[in-house]
Amino acid sequence: MSQVDEIFKLIDREKARQAQTIELIASENFVSENCMKAAGSCLTNKYAEGYPGKRYYGGCDVVDEIESRCIDAWKQVFNTNYHVNVQPHSGSQANCAAYSAVIKPGDTVLSMSLDNGAHLTHGSSVNFSGKLYNMVFYGIDSRGYIDMEDVRRKALEFKPALIVTGASAYPRIIDFQAFRAIADEVGALLMTDMAHIAGLVATGRHPSPFEAGCDIITTTTHKTLRGPRGGLIFCKPELKKKIDSAIFPGNQGGPLEHIIAAKAIAAYEAMDPAYSDYIDRVISNCNTMANRFVDMGYDLVTGGTDNHLFLLDLTKSGVTGKVLQETLDLCRITLNKNCVPHETRSPQVTSGARIGTAAMTTRGMSSDGFLATAGVIDKVIKALQGSGISDEFIDARKSEVDEILNSTLTANG
Ligand SMILES: *Cc1c(COP(=O)(O)O)cnc(C)c1O
């Protein structure tokens, strides 16, 4: 077999893995055929440094039209007159450019810390953000909610140039209006990173950072928005020039026009009423599954969820997030270990797990499927606490996973 064939064989293997696995990673989803088609199109051949109508290379009229349509579509999705830059290669690139557009190295930024559910790009010491800027952090209260008193106290104490809100592992509504009031009080700019909840914002199932008047709003397109892997930056019209030049030439070269075409398709899909129904199902499935864990005696961070994810706090059980993730992998259930508030273990080990319903809801899993999945995870946690994990135990769980997936497929023809 040629090396090329080997790569295609590996892609087939990954396709099979995805089909045979219950996917609970809160940041993943399954894109449409059309999205996939655009992302794999001839547009990957085209260089288009610059912006529609202002490119450095010739032959850009077609990609100009695609990118312009993509821009218009995303403004419509969020019903906003904010400017949008559709070129960020990822959520991290979007945040990197957003920071560099409005603050300088050494400036103070107030954000949430990683172990409380924020993203690496919100100031982790191993990330550019933590190395370039003077990061200070607000905390969460004893139940796991963002502590708005602490946000205000830290803002008054440190006088940040920028306040960042948004998270990767936060199960509750974020009060953007309250953040806006604090930012105004101390004269800071306010940035919301809605990477996880963007789909809920788009359909009105989470308060809008646009309506709260955030100065900059970044997002990924591949999580609840169910588009290709990439990012977007929205900003108030007066920041357009700074944001655009921070992306190009500031942080990126040529845009990925094949991904921009796929982003346009994802925007059209997000405006279809079926997408709104989808987001409603994601939220209700998440609630159903979270409540089942509560009924089975588990602790959840904040006791529950308002969105597409929840956090299992395994501290009481003695089982680590790492061992649970690895054991569930063997059973073909994928989730990720996650820090819990006031975590005592390292980020490589953790005392919790993050569970999201966006991906399996796309695949048509019903609330019964999510309940059955909670049952399988419960058995695994109990076995890890007790008798241990045998090959027979793993095989039995794999059969249960197959059954759940089969009934999901049957229900969807
Ligand atoms: C996922 C995520 C990102 C980064 O996305 P990448 O595309 O992986 O770079 C940024 N911010 C938040 C809050 C996220 O959850």
Side-chain angles (χ1 to χ4, degrees):
M1 195 185 300
S2 76
Q3 287 168 310
V4 171
D5 288 340
E6 280 170 15
I7 293 292
F8 281 111
K9 205 171 152 204
L10 285 166
I11 294 174
D12 285 343
R13 252 177 68 190
E14 171 60 12
K15 194 173 176 182
R17 187 198 66 78
Q18 291 182 10
Q20 292 161 9
T21 301
I22 294 179
E23 180 55 71
L24 300 175
I25 294 178
S27 42
E28 293 193 7
N29 216 321
F30 296 94
V31 301
S32 68
E33 286 293 322
N34 283 336
C35 224
M36 202 71 97
K37 218 195 264 176
S41 71
C42 66
L43 295 172
T44 193
N45 299 332
K46 187 70 197 103
Y47 241 116
E49 285 180 344
Y51 292 100
K54 290 171 294 218
R55 307 279 192 184
Y56 284 76
Y57 295 104
C60 285
D61 4 340
V62 177
V63 292
D64 273 7
E65 187 160 341
I66 290 170
E67 191 167 330
S68 299
R69 285 178 189 232
C70 184
I71 289 166
D72 291 343
W74 280 109
K75 288 185 187 178
Q76 278 179 48
V77 169
F78 292 101
N79 189 24
T80 183
N81 62 357
Y82 274 47
H83 169 62
V84 59
N85 186 306
V86 300
Q87 293 190 357
H89 300 334
S90 72
S92 297
Q93 298 283 143
N95 288 348
C96 183
Y99 294 153
S100 68
V102 293
I103 54 173
K104 290 189 294 300
D107 280 355
T108 299
V109 180
L110 175 61
S111 83
M112 187 156 80
S113 63
L114 187 65
D115 58 351
N116 287 336
H119 188 255
L120 279 167
T121 53
H122 297 187
S124 160
S125 61
V126 296
N127 182 260
F128 76 89
S129 53
K131 293 182 205 283
L132 276 183
Y133 305 108
N134 174 38
M135 303 297 309
V136 292
F137 301 102
Y138 52 82
I140 47 179
D141 64 21
S142 55
R143 297 173 309 157
Y145 284 82
I146 294 172
D147 183 349
M148 293 310 300
E149 285 297 313
D150 192 46
V151 177
R152 181 160 179 272
R153 207 162 35 236
K154 298 275 168 61
L156 289 166
E157 182 183 347
F158 295 109
K159 296 269 180 264
L162 177 71
I163 298 177
V164 178
T165 180
S168 301
Y170 188 68
R172 294 298 185 177
I173 298 284
I174 299 176
D175 187 350
F176 299 127
Q177 303 272 2
F179 272 98
R180 181 72 268 179
I182 293 167
D184 286 344
E185 189 177 354
V186 301
L189 287 168
L190 178 61
M191 170 173 143
T192 290
D193 176 353
M194 61 172 183
H196 263 266
I197 54 168
L200 285 68
V201 170
T203 55
R205 297 298 180 271
H206 188 290
S208 166
F210 294 93
E211 278 168 29
C214 293
D215 299 287
I216 301 177
I217 300 164
T218 59
T219 185
T220 58
T221 43
H222 49 273
K223 295 177 183 173
T224 51
L225 283 178
R226 206 163 60 179
R229 195 156 289 281
L232 303 171
I233 308 178
F234 294 88
C235 64
K236 288 186 170 169
E238 60 266 29
L239 291 173
K240 171 182 181 348
K241 238 188 147 133
K242 283 183 175 171
I243 289 291
D244 283 352
S245 55
I247 282 288
F248 178 83
N251 281 280
Q252 292 186 174
L256 312 176
E257 291 296 342
H258 52 307
I259 299 299
I260 289 172
K263 283 174 181 168
I265 287 167
Y268 298 138
E269 290 173 357
M271 285 188 274
D272 191 308
Y275 179 77
S276 199
D277 294 344
Y278 159 70
I279 292 292
D280 286 351
R281 282 199 306 279
V282 169
I283 296 168
S284 86
N285 286 334
C286 194
N287 236 292
T288 301
M289 198 178 184
N291 286 337
R292 175 55 59 93
F293 275 103
V294 171
D295 291 345
M296 293 189 296
Y298 289 93
D299 291 331
L300 302 189
V301 175
T302 76
T305 174
D306 297 326
N307 59 25
H308 64 297
L309 66 83
F310 63 93
L311 301 170
L312 265 185
D313 183 341
L314 299 165
T315 310
K316 237 172 36 188
S317 73
V319 174
T320 67
K322 175 180 157 67
V323 166
L324 180 62
Q325 175 185 321
E326 286 169 357
T327 313
L328 286 173
D329 253 340
L330 300 174
C331 307
R332 292 207 240 97
I333 294 177
T334 315
L335 50 62
N336 62 283
K337 59 181 182 266
N338 214 93
C339 292
V340 296
H342 318 292
E343 178 64 73
T344 54
R345 295 188 168 102
S346 82
Q348 283 77 42
V349 182
T350 81
S351 309
R354 185 182 67 162
I355 293 178
T357 51
M360 290 315 292
T361 300
T362 292
R363 287 183 58 192
M365 190 183 268
S366 65
S367 56
D368 284 346
F370 283 101
L371 289 173
T373 304
V376 180
I377 296 171
D378 171 56
K379 283 182 196 167
V380 170
I381 295 169
K382 296 230 163 78
L384 287 168
Q385 285 178 289
S387 50
I389 305 289
S390 64
D391 288 348
E392 293 72 33
F393 177 86
I394 299 280
D395 286 342
R397 300 295 80 74
K398 278 203 282 206
S399 307
E400 288 170 351
V401 165
D402 283 341
E403 215 169 290
I404 295 168
L405 288 172
N406 281 337
S407 58
T408 295
L409 286 180
T410 315
N412 294 287

